[in-house]
Amino acid sequence: MGNCEQRIQDCLSRIEAEDARIGAWEHVDAIGAMHRARELDGIEYAGHKGPLHGMAIGVKDIIDVAQLPTRCGSPIYATNIASADAACVALARAAGAIIIGKTVTTELATFVPARTKNPLNLEYTSGGSSAGSAAAVAAGMVPMAIGTQTAGSVIRPAAYCGVFGFKPTFGHVPREGVKLQSSILDTVGVFTRNISDTAKWYAAMTGASPAIETSTARLRIAVVTNLNEQANADMLTAVEHAIEALQSAGVHIERLRLPQAFDDAVRDQKIIQLAEGSKFYAPEYQDFRAQLNDDIAAVLEEGARIDSRDFMAAVARASILRIEADRSMGDFDCLLMPAAPGAAPHGFASTGDPLFSRVNSLLHQPAITLPIYKNTNGMPLGLQLIGARNQDRQLFTTAQRVFDAIKSNHHG
């Protein structure tokens, strides 16, 4: 058995053993994955392999994979089969990835909880809407899974499940073949178990170098305090521990309260997501209302009531604020803040609050979840680093240095 085939077999065995209790997978293509693995094992590469060679990948079930179902977590699409790969899937395959299957998403990638449980404790949510992708990576079923983010659907579930989650700069990864909720916000992202694999995925998507650059320059990090009143005590303690660890490593730290416009951006992100969601999901609402969750239908109705002038004003303010955010990032390597208000909520009534990611989703900034701390119940407390637009590779360098510094100076 070749290396790729063995890796895929290991993943399939893990899925068979674990997924009945976790519920991370919508569809597993064992035959197709094994066939592709054998194919890769039999190819002579003359020393050149793609950055994702032999990597087993799960794909969120709003993203098309040729000849596999795209059900979008909804009975409306129960029999829908994709005719072609989404662009991000095609790029992953071209880089040597092996698609194992489709991971569970919440209904139409919204806030209604899916069946997926948190692998670290089955009594807790794994987040949303990329629930299955985060859980599959956290459970060791695959080393990598693709997700999407409109508000916080990569950063938050990664934090809840204790894995790395990366949302690139808006527009860097193509969205063709993805079921969209918002043309202004939706971004394809990834879940991994290390930053190195995150950089390899980004390389496959964009053509950038897969290597993480090294640097010895003193890091300058701004700790954003704007939403601290919305974070619980465990999360605030984790932030303080991170500050202490980074300062011990020689990192320059400044606490930064961003101007009121950044607080107002939370409102504008909601306006844009609601208004665009009502338009993008108009076919489902108009033609299949009886098959929609009532809470989703109510949100679509709320979005339809937003005045077009309010929507355009929110779009205009966001455009201006992106420039201001670029300017404010000039003195820092990154911003640091919680990835969520706290650890994953207990139970399955909610997928958690995306509050801490709404603004950088609106501002199109790259962000990465760092799984470092845990609360007294042993559940992860994820921090996030936010970079400047179009500086994704620099964010990987910073994130690796920050992660290493905190781990080496953390004693609790």
Side-chain angles (χ1 to χ4, degrees), residues 313-384:
V315 171
R317 284 191 295 268
S319 296
I320 295 169
L321 196 58
R322 286 182 197 120
I323 297 170
E324 176 59 30
D326 292 343
R327 189 178 299 118
S328 66
M329 285 289 300
D331 293 333
F332 302 102
D333 293 287
C334 69
L335 308 180
L336 184 152
M337 64 189 302
H346 185 266
F348 306 100
S350 166
T351 62
D353 191 341
L355 174 65
F356 282 83
S357 292
R358 285 190 184 275
V359 174
N360 61 64
S361 289
L362 179 70
L363 299 184
H364 295 168
Q365 298 163 311
I368 188 166
T369 310
L370 300 184
I372 298 173
Y373 297 104
K374 292 185 178 181
N375 67 8
T376 53
N377 293 325
M379 297 303 290
L381 294 164
L383 304 179
Q384 67 172 320

Coordinates of all heavy atoms in Angstrom, one line a residue, residues 313-384:
A313 N -26.0 52.6 2.4 CA -25.2 53.4 3.3 C -24.2 52.5 4.1 O -23.1 52.9 4.4 CB -26.1 54.1 4.3
A314 N -24.7 51.3 4.5 CA -23.8 50.4 5.2 C -22.6 49.9 4.3 O -21.5 49.8 4.8 CB -24.6 49.1 5.7
V315 N -22.9 49.7 3.0 CA -21.9 49.3 2.1 C -20.9 50.4 1.9 O -19.6 50.2 1.9 CB -22.5 49.0 0.7 CG1 -21.4 48.8 -0.3 CG2 -23.3 47.7 0.8
A316 N -21.3 51.7 1.8 CA -20.4 52.8 1.7 C -19.6 53.0 2.9 O -18.3 53.3 2.8 CB -21.3 54.1 1.4
R317 N -20.2 52.9 4.1 CA -19.4 53.0 5.3 C -18.3 52.0 5.4 O -17.2 52.2 5.9 CB -20.3 53.0 6.6 CG -21.1 54.3 6.8 CD -21.8 54.2 8.2 NE -22.8 53.2 8.3 CZ -24.1 53.3 8.0 NH1 -24.5 54.5 7.6 NH2 -24.9 52.3 8.1
A318 N -18.6 50.8 5.0 CA -17.7 49.7 5.1 C -16.5 49.9 4.2 O -15.3 49.7 4.5 CB -18.4 48.3 4.7
S319 N -16.8 50.5 3.0 CA -15.7 50.8 2.0 C -14.7 51.8 2.6 O -13.5 51.6 2.5 CB -16.3 51.3 0.7 OG -17.1 50.3 0.1
I320 N -15.2 52.8 3.3 CA -14.4 53.8 3.9 C -13.6 53.2 5.0 O -12.4 53.5 5.2 CB -15.3 55.0 4.3 CG1 -15.9 55.7 3.1 CG2 -14.4 56.0 5.2 CD1 -17.0 56.7 3.5
L321 N -14.3 52.4 5.8 CA -13.6 51.8 7.0 C -12.5 50.9 6.7 O -11.6 50.7 7.4 CB -14.7 51.2 7.9 CG -14.3 50.9 9.4 CD1 -13.9 52.1 10.1 CD2 -15.4 50.2 10.1
R322 N -12.6 50.2 5.5 CA -11.6 49.3 5.1 C -10.3 50.1 4.9 O -9.2 49.6 5.3 CB -12.0 48.5 3.8 CG -13.0 47.5 4.1 CD -13.4 46.7 2.9 NE -14.6 46.0 3.1 CZ -15.8 46.2 2.5 NH1 -15.8 47.0 1.4 NH2 -16.9 45.5 2.8
I323 N -10.4 51.2 4.4 CA -9.2 52.1 4.1 C -8.6 52.5 5.5 O -7.4 52.5 5.7 CB -9.5 53.3 3.2 CG1 -9.9 52.8 1.9 CG2 -8.3 54.2 3.1 CD1 -10.5 53.8 1.0
E324 N -9.5 52.9 6.4 CA -9.1 53.3 7.7 C -8.4 52.2 8.5 O -7.4 52.3 9.2 CB -10.3 53.8 8.5 CG -10.0 54.2 10.0 CD -8.9 55.3 10.1 OE1 -8.8 56.1 9.2 OE2 -8.2 55.3 11.1
A325 N -9.0 50.9 8.3 CA -8.4 49.8 9.0 C -7.0 49.5 8.4 O -6.1 49.1 9.2 CB -9.3 48.6 8.8
D326 N -6.8 49.6 7.1 CA -5.5 49.4 6.5 C -4.5 50.4 7.1 O -3.3 50.1 7.4 CB -5.5 49.7 5.0 CG -6.3 48.6 4.3 OD1 -6.5 47.5 4.9 OD2 -6.7 48.8 3.1
R327 N -4.9 51.6 7.3 CA -4.1 52.7 7.9 C -3.7 52.4 9.3 O -2.6 52.5 9.8 CB -4.8 54.0 7.8 CG -3.9 55.2 8.1 CD -4.6 56.5 7.9 NE -5.1 56.7 6.5 CZ -6.4 56.8 6.2 NH1 -7.3 56.7 7.1 NH2 -6.7 57.0 4.9
S328 N -4.7 51.9 10.1 CA -4.5 51.7 11.5 C -3.6 50.5 11.8 O -3.0 50.3 12.8 CB -5.8 51.5 12.3 OG -6.5 50.3 11.8
M329 N -3.6 49.5 10.8 CA -2.7 48.4 10.9 C -1.2 48.7 10.6 O -0.4 47.8 10.9 CB -3.2 47.3 9.9 CG -4.4 46.6 10.3 SD -4.2 45.4 11.7 CE -3.0 44.3 11.0
G330 N -1.0 49.9 10.1 CA 0.4 50.2 9.7 C 1.5 50.1 10.7 O 2.6 49.7 10.4
D331 N 1.1 50.3 12.0 CA 2.1 50.3 13.1 C 2.2 48.9 13.7 O 3.1 48.7 14.6 CB 1.7 51.3 14.2 CG 1.8 52.7 13.7 OD1 2.6 53.0 12.8 OD2 1.1 53.6 14.2
F332 N 1.4 47.9 13.3 CA 1.4 46.6 14.0 C 1.5 45.5 13.0 O 1.1 45.6 11.8 CB 0.1 46.5 14.7 CG -0.2 47.5 15.8 CD1 -1.0 48.6 15.5 CD2 0.5 47.5 17.0 CE1 -1.2 49.6 16.4 CE2 0.3 48.5 17.9 CZ -0.5 49.6 17.6
D333 N 2.0 44.4 13.5 CA 2.1 43.1 12.7 C 0.7 42.5 12.6 O 0.4 41.8 11.6 CB 3.1 42.2 13.3 CG 4.5 42.7 13.1 OD1 5.1 42.7 12.0 OD2 5.1 43.1 14.2
C334 N -0.1 42.6 13.6 CA -1.4 42.1 13.6 C -2.2 42.6 14.8 O -1.6 43.3 15.7 CB -1.4 40.5 13.7 SG -0.8 39.9 15.3
L335 N -3.5 42.4 14.8 CA -4.3 42.6 15.9 C -4.6 41.3 16.6 O -4.7 40.3 16.0 CB -5.7 43.3 15.5 CG -5.6 44.5 14.6 CD1 -7.0 45.0 14.2 CD2 -4.8 45.6 15.2
L336 N -4.8 41.3 17.9 CA -5.1 40.1 18.7 C -6.4 40.4 19.4 O -6.6 41.5 20.1 CB -4.0 39.8 19.7 CG -4.2 38.5 20.5 CD1 -2.8 37.9 20.8 CD2 -4.9 38.7 21.8
M337 N -7.3 39.4 19.4 CA -8.6 39.5 20.2 C -9.2 38.2 20.3 O -8.7 37.2 19.7 CB -9.5 40.5 19.5 CG -10.0 40.1 18.1 SD -11.0 41.4 17.3 CE -12.3 41.7 18.4
P338 N -10.2 38.0 21.1 CA -10.8 36.7 21.2 C -11.4 36.3 19.9 O -11.8 37.1 19.1 CB -12.0 36.9 22.3 CG -11.5 38.1 23.1 CD -10.7 39.0 22.1
A339 N -11.5 34.9 19.7 CA -12.1 34.4 18.5 C -13.6 34.3 18.7 O -14.4 34.1 17.8 CB -11.5 33.1 18.1
A340 N -14.0 34.3 20.0 CA -15.5 34.1 20.4 C -15.6 34.6 21.8 O -14.6 34.9 22.5 CB -15.9 32.6 20.3
P341 N -16.8 34.8 22.3 CA -17.0 35.4 23.6 C -16.4 34.5 24.7 O -16.1 34.9 25.8 CB -18.5 35.5 23.8 CG -19.0 35.7 22.4 CD -18.1 34.8 21.5
G342 N -16.3 33.2 24.4 CA -15.8 32.2 25.4 C -15.7 30.9 24.7 O -15.6 30.8 23.5
A343 N -15.7 29.8 25.5 CA -15.7 28.4 24.9 C -17.0 28.1 24.3 O -18.0 28.9 24.4 CB -15.3 27.4 26.0
A344 N -17.1 26.9 23.6 CA -18.3 26.5 23.0 C -19.4 26.4 24.0 O -19.3 26.0 25.1 CB -18.1 25.1 22.4
P345 N -20.6 26.9 23.6 CA -21.8 26.8 24.5 C -22.2 25.4 24.8 O -22.0 24.5 23.9 CB -22.9 27.6 23.8 CG -22.2 28.5 22.8 CD -20.9 27.7 22.4
H346 N -22.7 25.1 26.0 CA -23.2 23.8 26.3 C -24.5 23.6 25.7 O -25.3 24.5 25.6 CB -23.3 23.6 27.8 CG -23.7 22.3 28.3 ND1 -25.0 21.9 28.5 CD2 -22.9 21.2 28.5 CE1 -25.0 20.6 28.9 NE2 -23.8 20.2 28.9
G347 N -24.7 22.4 25.1 CA -26.0 22.0 24.5 C -26.0 22.4 23.0 O -25.0 22.8 22.5
F348 N -27.2 22.3 22.4 CA -27.3 22.4 21.0 C -28.4 23.4 20.6 O -28.9 23.3 19.4 CB -27.5 21.1 20.3 CG -26.4 20.1 20.8 CD1 -26.7 19.2 21.8 CD2 -25.2 20.2 20.2 CE1 -25.7 18.3 22.2 CE2 -24.2 19.3 20.7 CZ -24.4 18.4 21.7
A349 N -28.7 24.3 21.5 CA -29.8 25.3 21.1 C -29.2 26.4 20.3 O -29.9 27.1 19.6 CB -30.4 25.9 22.4
S350 N -27.9 26.6 20.3 CA -27.2 27.7 19.5 C -25.9 27.2 19.0 O -25.2 26.3 19.5 CB -27.0 28.8 20.5 OG -26.1 29.8 20.0
T351 N -25.4 27.8 17.9 CA -24.1 27.6 17.4 C -23.1 28.6 17.9 O -21.9 28.5 17.5 CB -24.1 27.7 15.8 OG1 -24.5 29.0 15.4 CG2 -25.0 26.6 15.2
G352 N -23.5 29.4 18.9 CA -22.6 30.4 19.4 C -22.7 31.8 18.7 O -23.4 31.9 17.7
D353 N -22.0 32.7 19.3 CA -22.1 34.1 18.8 C -20.9 34.5 17.9 O -19.8 34.4 18.3 CB -22.2 35.1 20.0 CG -22.6 36.5 19.6 OD1 -22.4 36.9 18.4 OD2 -23.0 37.2 20.5
P354 N -21.2 34.9 16.6 CA -20.1 35.3 15.8 C -19.6 36.7 16.0 O -18.8 37.3 15.1 CB -20.7 35.2 14.4 CG -22.1 35.6 14.6 CD -22.5 35.0 16.0
L355 N -20.0 37.4 17.0 CA -19.7 38.8 17.3 C -18.3 39.2 17.0 O -18.0 40.2 16.4 CB -20.1 39.2 18.7 CG -19.7 40.6 19.1 CD1 -20.5 41.6 18.3 CD2 -20.0 40.8 20.6
F356 N -17.3 38.4 17.5 CA -15.9 38.8 17.4 C -15.3 38.7 16.1 O -14.1 39.0 15.9 CB -15.1 38.0 18.5 CG -15.3 38.5 19.9 CD1 -16.4 38.1 20.6 CD2 -14.4 39.4 20.4 CE1 -16.5 38.6 21.9 CE2 -14.5 39.9 21.7 CZ -15.6 39.5 22.5
S357 N -16.1 38.2 15.1 CA -15.6 38.1 13.7 C -16.3 38.9 12.7 O -15.9 39.0 11.6 CB -15.6 36.6 13.2 OG -14.7 35.8 13.9
R358 N -17.4 39.5 13.2 CA -18.3 40.3 12.3 C -17.5 41.4 11.6 O -17.6 41.7 10.4 CB -19.5 40.8 13.0 CG -20.6 39.8 13.3 CD -21.8 40.4 13.8 NE -22.9 39.5 14.1 CZ -23.7 38.9 13.3 NH1 -23.7 39.2 12.0 NH2 -24.6 38.0 13.8
V359 N -16.7 42.2 12.4 CA -16.1 43.4 11.9 C -15.0 43.0 10.9 O -14.9 43.6 9.8 CB -15.5 44.2 13.0 CG1 -14.7 45.4 12.4 CG2 -16.7 44.8 13.8
N360 N -14.1 42.0 11.2 CA -13.1 41.7 10.2 C -13.6 41.0 9.0 O -13.0 41.0 7.9 CB -11.9 41.0 10.9 CG -12.2 39.7 11.5 OD1 -12.6 38.7 10.8 ND2 -12.0 39.6 12.8
S361 N -14.8 40.3 9.1 CA -15.4 39.8 7.9 C -15.9 41.0 7.0 O -15.7 40.9 5.8 CB -16.6 38.9 8.3 OG -16.2 37.7 8.9
L362 N -16.5 42.0 7.6 CA -16.9 43.1 6.9 C -15.7 43.9 6.2 O -15.8 44.4 5.1 CB -17.7 44.1 7.8 CG -18.2 45.4 7.2 CD1 -19.3 45.1 6.2 CD2 -18.6 46.4 8.3
L363 N -14.6 43.9 7.0 CA -13.5 44.7 6.5 C -12.5 43.9 5.6 O -11.5 44.4 5.1 CB -12.7 45.2 7.7 CG -13.4 46.2 8.6 CD1 -12.5 46.7 9.7 CD2 -14.1 47.3 7.9
H364 N -12.9 42.6 5.3 CA -12.2 41.8 4.4 C -10.8 41.5 4.8 O -9.9 41.2 4.0 CB -12.2 42.5 3.0 CG -13.5 42.6 2.4 ND1 -13.8 43.4 1.2 CD2 -14.7 42.1 2.7 CE1 -15.0 43.3 0.9 NE2 -15.7 42.5 1.8
Q365 N -10.5 41.5 6.1 CA -9.1 41.2 6.6 C -8.9 39.7 6.8 O -9.8 39.0 7.1 CB -8.9 41.9 7.9 CG -9.0 43.4 7.9 CD -9.3 44.1 9.2 OE1 -10.1 43.6 10.0 NE2 -8.5 45.1 9.6
P366 N -7.7 39.3 6.6 CA -7.4 37.9 6.9 C -7.3 37.7 8.4 O -6.9 38.6 9.2 CB -6.0 37.7 6.3 CG -5.4 39.0 6.3 CD -6.5 40.0 6.1
A367 N -7.8 36.5 8.9 CA -7.8 36.2 10.3 C -7.5 34.7 10.5 O -7.8 33.9 9.7 CB -9.1 36.6 10.9
I368 N -6.9 34.4 11.6 CA -6.5 33.0 11.9 C -6.8 32.7 13.4 O -6.5 33.6 14.3 CB -5.1 32.7 11.5 CG1 -4.8 31.2 11.7 CG2 -4.1 33.5 12.3 CD1 -3.5 30.8 11.0
T369 N -7.4 31.6 13.7 CA -7.7 31.2 15.1 C -6.5 30.4 15.6 O -5.9 29.5 14.9 CB -8.9 30.2 15.1 OG1 -10.0 30.8 14.4 CG2 -9.3 29.9 16.6
L370 N -6.0 30.7 16.8 CA -4.9 30.0 17.5 C -5.5 29.2 18.6 O -6.1 29.8 19.6 CB -3.9 31.0 18.0 CG -3.2 31.9 16.9 CD1 -2.1 32.7 17.6 CD2 -2.6 31.0 15.8
P371 N -5.5 27.9 18.6 CA -6.0 27.1 19.7 C -4.9 26.9 20.8 O -4.0 26.1 20.6 CB -6.3 25.7 19.0 CG -5.3 25.7 17.9 CD -5.0 27.1 17.4
I372 N -5.0 27.7 21.8 CA -3.9 27.7 22.8 C -4.4 27.3 24.2 O -3.9 26.4 24.9 CB -3.2 29.0 22.9 CG1 -2.6 29.3 21.5 CG2 -2.2 29.0 24.0 CD1 -1.9 30.7 21.4
Y373 N -5.5 28.0 24.7 CA -5.9 27.8 26.0 C -7.2 27.0 26.2 O -7.9 26.7 25.2 CB -6.2 29.2 26.6 CG -5.0 30.1 26.7 CD1 -4.8 31.1 25.8 CD2 -4.0 29.9 27.6 CE1 -3.6 31.9 25.8 CE2 -2.8 30.7 27.7 CZ -2.7 31.7 26.8 OH -1.5 32.5 26.8
K374 N -7.5 26.6 27.4 CA -8.7 25.8 27.7 C -9.3 26.4 29.0 O -8.6 27.0 29.8 CB -8.4 24.3 27.9 CG -8.0 23.7 26.6 CD -7.9 22.2 26.7 CE -7.5 21.5 25.4 NZ -7.4 20.0 25.5
N375 N -10.6 26.3 29.1 CA -11.3 26.7 30.4 C -11.2 25.6 31.4 O -10.6 24.5 31.2 CB -12.7 27.2 30.1 CG -13.6 26.1 29.7 OD1 -13.3 24.9 29.7 ND2 -14.8 26.5 29.3
T376 N -11.9 25.8 32.6 CA -11.8 24.8 33.6 C -12.5 23.5 33.3 O -12.3 22.5 33.9 CB -12.4 25.4 34.9 OG1 -13.8 25.9 34.6 CG2 -11.6 26.5 35.5
N377 N -13.4 23.5 32.3 CA -14.1 22.3 31.8 C -13.3 21.6 30.7 O -13.7 20.6 30.2 CB -15.5 22.7 31.2 CG -16.4 23.2 32.3 OD1 -16.3 22.7 33.4 ND2 -17.3 24.1 32.0
G378 N -12.1 22.2 30.4 CA -11.3 21.5 29.4 C -11.7 21.8 27.9 O -11.2 21.2 27.0
M379 N -12.5 22.9 27.8 CA -12.9 23.2 26.4 C -12.1 24.4 25.9 O -11.7 25.3 26.7 CB -14.4 23.7 26.4 CG -15.4 22.6 26.8 SD -15.2 21.1 25.8 CE -15.9 21.7 24.2
P380 N -11.8 24.4 24.6 CA -10.8 25.4 24.1 C -11.3 26.8 24.1 O -12.5 27.1 24.0 CB -10.7 24.9 22.6 CG -11.1 23.5 22.6 CD -12.2 23.4 23.6
L381 N -10.4 27.7 24.3 CA -10.6 29.1 24.3 C -9.7 29.7 23.1 O -8.5 29.8 23.3 CB -10.2 29.8 25.6 CG -11.1 29.4 26.8 CD1 -10.5 29.8 28.1 CD2 -12.5 30.1 26.7
G382 N -10.2 29.9 22.0 CA -9.4 30.3 20.8 C -9.2 31.8 20.8 O -10.1 32.6 21.1
L383 N -8.0 32.2 20.5 CA -7.7 33.6 20.2 C -7.6 33.8 18.7 O -7.3 32.8 18.0 CB -6.3 34.0 20.9 CG -6.2 33.8 22.4 CD1 -4.9 34.2 22.9 CD2 -7.3 34.6 23.1
Q384 N -7.8 35.0 18.2 CA -7.6 35.2 16.8 C -6.6 36.3 16.5 O -6.6 37.3 17.3 CB -8.9 35.4 16.0 CG -9.6 36.8 16.4 CD -10.8 37.0 15.5 OE1 -10.8 36.8 14.3 NE2 -11.9 37.5 16.1

